Structure formats: structure tokens, C-alpha cells
Amino acid sequence: MVLLLGGTTEATALAAAIGERHPGSIDLTVSFAGRTSAPTAPHGAVRVGGFGGVDGLVAYLVEHGTAAVIDALHPFAAVMPFHAAEACRRTGVPLLELVRPPWLPAGGDDWRCTKSVAEAAAVLADLVVDQALLTIGRQELDPFRTLTGTDLLVRTIEPFDLTGAWSARPLLARGPFTLGGEIDLLRRERIEAIVSKNSGGTATAAKLAAARALGLPVVMVDRPSRPDVEQTASVEDALAWLLAGGQAPG
Ligand code: NAP
């Protein structure tokens, strides 16, 4: 069995590629944390919920005779990649990280890079703007709940808790977003700054080009550190690695 740690477009793409091209040769299970309701995968068995720490994951890998693990977790998943690395080290199960490259600033960008969401909230406060767009998901909004003086438009996929001293309005939307749509949104809402995680990928990148076009600052949260494991950004490479039995094809 191959365990695919999912919750990303890369995990979905890899599951789809296995289903289309190698459905009989790779026995796939896709694992979700359960943060979003009713997660699905285009191919493979789906399991939902934590494993119970490193020990739980070790037990799971052994019990299911796991041949390989692909960590296709979101680049901002800060805990699970380390659990996967440690569990695979203990069991000897090969591990590959499939992660999209971070966004890089282009000419004309005004990025204020920060190490954490809490630092991003402080940097946004220092910008002293009337309206800002928050696009960091719904799980780490707490540092913004005490921010006053800036109206926040908070774009998330699923609803979130609105309580706090902040002035926040929800905008429920799921990417991909277009450049034209993002420019319209920023103009309509009179947005003066954007807060983003450096998630990378194409689905939500248009906001950065829109900010560049309108000359708006972007408060960019850098990625958390990752374990030192074999890594690729390519679904094709991950597929080749699996077909080679959990190693780089020779
Ligand atoms: P995290 O902090 O790294 O993980 C917290 C705990 O959640 C882990 O210790 C593990 O519980 C469980 N877990 C995480 N991913 C799992 C998976 N794929 N399958 C089973 N259990 C999992 O992760 P997170 O930041 O809360 O993210 C949770 C999920 O949402 C991940 O699948 C991630 O790819 C996705 N996601 C995260 C973000 C983000 O910004 N953080 C954005 C988009 C999507 P146990 O210790 O009990 O095993």
C-alpha cells in the first residue's frame, strides 16, 4: 500500500495520475486531516483524521504493510511532515515530499516578508491601511482578531469564527482566481494591502499579479521549516519514484 498524505492540489493530481495510468499496480490510500468536510480523492481509498502522533503513524504503516509514503501536505502544514519523516525513519518506509515551489517576488512587487502569521498581523498594523484582504485560510486568524483600525475582508473556503475586536467580513470563495477577477475585487473593496501565505502554485497566484498591477503591498508569510527528506515539485517525478519502488528511477 502507498500512503499519500493529502489535502493539496498536488495530492489530487498524483491520485488522478495513478488512477488513470497505473490503477492496478499501485494500491493507493489518500489520507486527509479532516479539516474540510467530506474530502474526496479521484482515485484510491480515502481515510480521514490524525494517526495519533508519530507512534500512531508507525503502527499504521506497519499494520498496512506500507511500501512508500508521499508527503503531499500543504507547505504550511508545520507538524505532519515531521511526523511522517520520523515514522518513515523508524520503519524504513521510503518517503518522498511532493511540494510546489514557493512564489518569488517579481519586478514591481512590494512584499513585506514575515516569519509568522503573528508577525504579519503586526506588519499589517504598521501599514495603517483602512481596508485589507486576508487570504491565509481560517485556522490562524487569531493574531488579527485584536487588530483595530483596519477593515478586513477575510477570504476563506469554509466559514470561520467571526468573534473578536476586529472589523472583519467573510468572503467565502474557492480558487482558481483570475487576474481580472482579483483586480475587480481589490478595486471594488478599496483594498490597500493583501496578507498572504507563500503557498505557491497557480490557483491563488493571481492576487499577487493584481497587487503588482495596482501597486499594493503584500504582507507575505514565509513557509515553516520542513524536514530534510527527498523532495520533488513534479507529479510525474513522484509517479516515477513510486513505480521504481520508492526510489529515484535509475
Ligand atoms: P499540521 O499542523 O501539520 O498537522 C496537525 C495534525 O493533523 C497532525 O499531527 C496529524 O494528526 C493531523 N494531520 C495533518 N495532516 C494530515 C493528513 N493528511 N492525514 C492525517 N492526519 C493529518 O497540519 P495542518 O496545518 O493542520 O493541516 C491539516 C491539513 O490541511 C493537511 O492535510 C494540509 O495539507 C491541509 N492544508 C493545510 C493548510 C495550512 O495552511 N496549514 C492549507 C491548506 C491545506 P496526528 O498527529 O494525530 O497524526
Side-chain angles (χ1 to χ4, degrees), residues 53-55 57-58 61 82-93:
V54 176
D55 291 343
L57 183 55
V58 166
L61 296 180
F82 289 93
H83 286 191
E86 177 59 14
C88 287
R89 190 191 65 77
R90 283 196 210 164
T91 54
V93 173

Side-chain angles (χ1 to χ4, degrees), residues 65-77:
T66 310
V69 175
I70 303 268
D71 163 357
L73 296 152
H74 191 272
F76 277 83

Side-chain angles (χ1 to χ4, degrees), residues 5-8 31-33 35 47 49-53 73-74 76-81 83 139 197:
L5 299 170
T8 58
S31 178
F32 295 90
R35 304 283 187 272
R47 69 163 300 287
F51 296 92
L73 296 152
H74 191 272
F76 277 83
V79 175
M80 194 65 196
H83 286 191
Q139 289 184 50
K197 288 177 169 175

Side-chain angles (χ1 to χ4, degrees), residues 3-26:
L3 178 65
L4 174 58
L5 299 170
T8 58
T9 49
E10 289 72 24
T12 302
L14 179 57
I18 292 170
E20 282 159 20
R21 286 143 59 186
H22 305 281
S25 50
I26 297 175

Side-chain angles (χ1 to χ4, degrees), residues 52-217:
V54 176
D55 291 343
L57 183 55
V58 166
Y60 180 93
L61 296 180
V62 172
E63 186 187 332
H64 292 82
T66 310
V69 175
I70 303 268
D71 163 357
L73 296 152
H74 191 272
F76 277 83
V79 175
M80 194 65 196
F82 289 93
H83 286 191
E86 177 59 14
C88 287
R89 190 191 65 77
R90 283 196 210 164
T91 54
V93 173
L95 169 67
L96 179 69
E97 188 179 291
L98 171 61
V99 65
R100 64 189 91 144
W103 293 314
L104 297 171
D109 278 332
D110 177 9
W111 286 13
R112 321 289 170 100
C113 293
T114 70
K115 294 278 172 237
S116 67
V117 169
E119 191 188 340
V123 169
L124 180 63
D126 286 347
L127 283 176
V128 195
V129 293
D130 290 332
Q131 318 272 353
L133 174 67
L134 231 60
T135 61
I136 58 164
R138 67 190 162 104
Q139 289 184 50
E140 294 177 86
L141 291 172
D142 283 352
F144 292 91
R145 292 183 196 277
T146 50
L147 187 76
T148 53
T150 299
D151 292 334
L152 301 174
L153 184 62
V154 186
R155 185 163 71 188
T156 59
I157 294 173
E158 303 221 350
F160 58 92
D161 173 15
L162 267 167
T163 55
W166 60 351
S167 165
R169 282 182 300 131
L171 173 61
L172 297 186
R174 182 192 288 272
F177 301 106
T178 64
L179 178 57
E182 296 292 65
I183 288 177
D184 285 350
L185 173 74
L186 297 175
R187 283 197 175 129
R188 190 174 63 242
E189 299 290 343
R190 297 190 174 82
I191 298 295
E192 296 163 78
I194 298 175
V195 183
S196 173
K197 288 177 169 175
N198 195 336
S199 301
T202 55
T204 61
K207 63 188 169 189
L208 304 175
R212 190 181 311 135
L214 299 179
L216 304 184

